[in-house]
Amino acid sequence: MGKIIFWLVVVFVALFALRLYNAAKARKGAARRSKGHAPPQLMVRCVQCGVYLPEPDARATAHGYRCRDPVCVET
């Protein structure tokens, strides 16, 4: 009976150690991923072709935003 309890304790300690290791690894990965993200940008739609693009990449006109595609810029 004592051997069974001993092995149960050993198994639970090993599982607990693995859980702590995986939790620390997940925290490191989450911190690393959050460092490289840029803030979200407003997406606008080109009035000519309908494609969505970030506002800094769009050209503002009197009728709305246009993408920088040569066909959309000319009209």
Side-chain angles (χ1 to χ4, degrees):
M1 185 69 160
K3 286 184 178 183
I4 294 174
I5 292 174
F6 170 76
W7 285 112
L8 283 174
V9 169
V10 169
V11 168
F12 282 118
V13 167
L15 290 174
F16 184 70
L18 283 173
R19 184 176 174 127
L20 287 177
Y21 174 75
N22 286 334
K25 194 168 139 181
R27 265 186 259 125
K28 274 186 185 177
R32 191 176 310 128
R33 283 189 301 268
S34 68
K35 286 181 184 177
H37 284 281
Q41 296 178 346
L42 178 64
M43 299 295 282
V44 294
R45 187 170 187 229
C46 175
V47 294
Q48 181 69 27
C49 63
V51 71
Y52 285 92
L53 64 156
E55 187 179 21
D57 295 342
R59 180 172 288 177
T61 63
H63 301 289
Y65 290 99
R66 294 190 186 266
C67 64
R68 297 193 182 266
D69 187 75
V71 175
C72 295
V73 173
E74 289 175 2
T75 57

